Every structure is written in structure tokens, then in C-alpha cells.
């Protein structure tokens, strides 16, 4: 996708992405796979925070201002398998995406931008355990 036609990360966004990756590492949070949408802000965030990522079209949002029930269902159908796929023991999956697909799966509209949600998957059901704001991560030591 052409970054010149999209909103890109601000200087603050770049700093927050670096800080999130550093804080996760400093706190011993094991990261397995990192998935990102194909939009520039998402993969830039994933790259800055974690160094490596895989882009997937499934995390892209629908091109609309307001979503129909069918569009929300389509986003849920695309994203839910990424969230519920089995993980190696002791690993976490990081998904860097957008507000609307996340809302389609969880019913929560994520705010502020850059918020991290911690999810638990039990037999295909997604439970939100908590959220960490982009500036609320502990300082990396």
C-alpha cells in the first residue's frame, strides 16, 4: 500500500512503538509471532516495536465510514481465527491492527490509539483481561 496516501505515524507514535517493544522485552513478556495489517501505520508500529512482523490482509479494515452488520461480521470472520489460533507454550501473539476489526471481535472500540489489549482465548471464546495505554507501560530498565 502507498504510505503517501495514508495517515502515517507521528513522532509520538514512533516513540510509543519503540517504548512498547522495549517495555515488553524488559518485563520478560515473550513474543512469538507478530501480525500486522497492511496499512503503513500498523506495520511501521510492528517493525519499530518488535523488529519483525508478518503483514496480513485479514487485519485490514473495511473501506467505509460507517459499517453495516455484514461488514462487521466480515471483519470478525477474518480476524477471529488470527486471535484464536493455537500458540506455542509460553508465547504470546501480538496483533497490530485497527480499531474497527478489534471492535468487531470484542465489542470494544479501542481508545486511545496505540492501546494494548491483553486477551485470553478459551475454547474459541475471547476474553479481554485488561488494557495498557501507549504511555502507561513501565519504563524499560
Amino acid at each position: 500500500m502507498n504510505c503517501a496516501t495514508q495517515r502515517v505515524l507521528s513522532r509520538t507514535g514512533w516513540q510509543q512503538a519503540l517504548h512498547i517493544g522495549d517495555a515488553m522485552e524488559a518485563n520478560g513478556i515473550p513474543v512469538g509471532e507478530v501480525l500486522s495489517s497492511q496499512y503503513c501505520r500498523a506495520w511501521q508500529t510492528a517493525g519499530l516495536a518488535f523488529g519483525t512482523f508478518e503483514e496480513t490482509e485479514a487485519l485490514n479494515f473495511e473501506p467505509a465510514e460507517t459499517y453495516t452488520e455484514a461488514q462487521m461480521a466480515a471483519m470478525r470472520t477474518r480476524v477471529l481465527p488470527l486471535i484464536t489460533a493455537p500458540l506455542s507454550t509460553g508465547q504470546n501473539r501480538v496483533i497490530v491492527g485497527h480499531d474497527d476489526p478489534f471492535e468487531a471481535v470484542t465489542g470494544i472500540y479501542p481508545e486511545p490509539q496505540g492501546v494494548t489489549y491483553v486477551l485470553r482465548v478459551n475454547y474459541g471464546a475471547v476474553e479481554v483481561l485488561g488494557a495498557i495505554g501507549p504511555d502507561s507501560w513501565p519504563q524499560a530498565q
Side-chain angles (χ1 to χ4, degrees):
M1 294 194 170
N2 182 355
C3 293
T5 62
Q6 300 175 34
R7 288 186 335 175
V8 294
L9 282 179
S10 65
R11 182 178 302 251
T12 299
W14 280 73
Q15 293 168 343
Q16 288 171 334
L18 290 167
H19 178 68
I20 289 168
D22 289 345
M24 287 183 72
E25 184 176 345
N27 286 283
I29 300 170
V31 174
E33 68 180 338
V34 178
L35 303 175
S36 169
S37 87
Q38 296 174 316
Y39 286 92
C40 299
R41 287 170 59 108
W43 61 255
Q44 288 169 347
T45 300
L48 288 164
F50 305 106
T52 184
F53 59 92
E54 177 185 339
E55 287 182 42
T56 175
E57 185 178 357
L59 292 171
N60 295 350
F61 51 85
E62 295 281 328
E65 286 295 316
T66 341
Y67 295 108
T68 65
E69 287 183 32
Q71 288 171 312
M72 290 296 278
M75 286 188 283
R76 178 178 172 77
T77 298
R78 287 194 316 265
V79 174
L80 192 58
L82 300 177
I83 292 174
T84 60
L87 284 167
S88 298
T89 302
Q91 292 296 305
N92 293 292
R93 178 178 296 115
V94 175
I95 296 177
V96 182
H98 306 281
D99 46 19
D100 300 314
F102 183 81
E103 181 181 21
V105 172
T106 65
I108 297 170
Y109 187 84
E111 289 183 299
Q113 289 186 5
V115 66
T116 299
Y117 280 90
V118 180
L119 308 176
R120 176 178 16 208
V121 176
N122 287 317
Y123 302 104
V126 178
E127 176 186 4
V128 177
L129 300 179
I132 304 167
D135 295 319
S136 298
W137 286 89
Q139 293 299 313
Q141 301 298 328

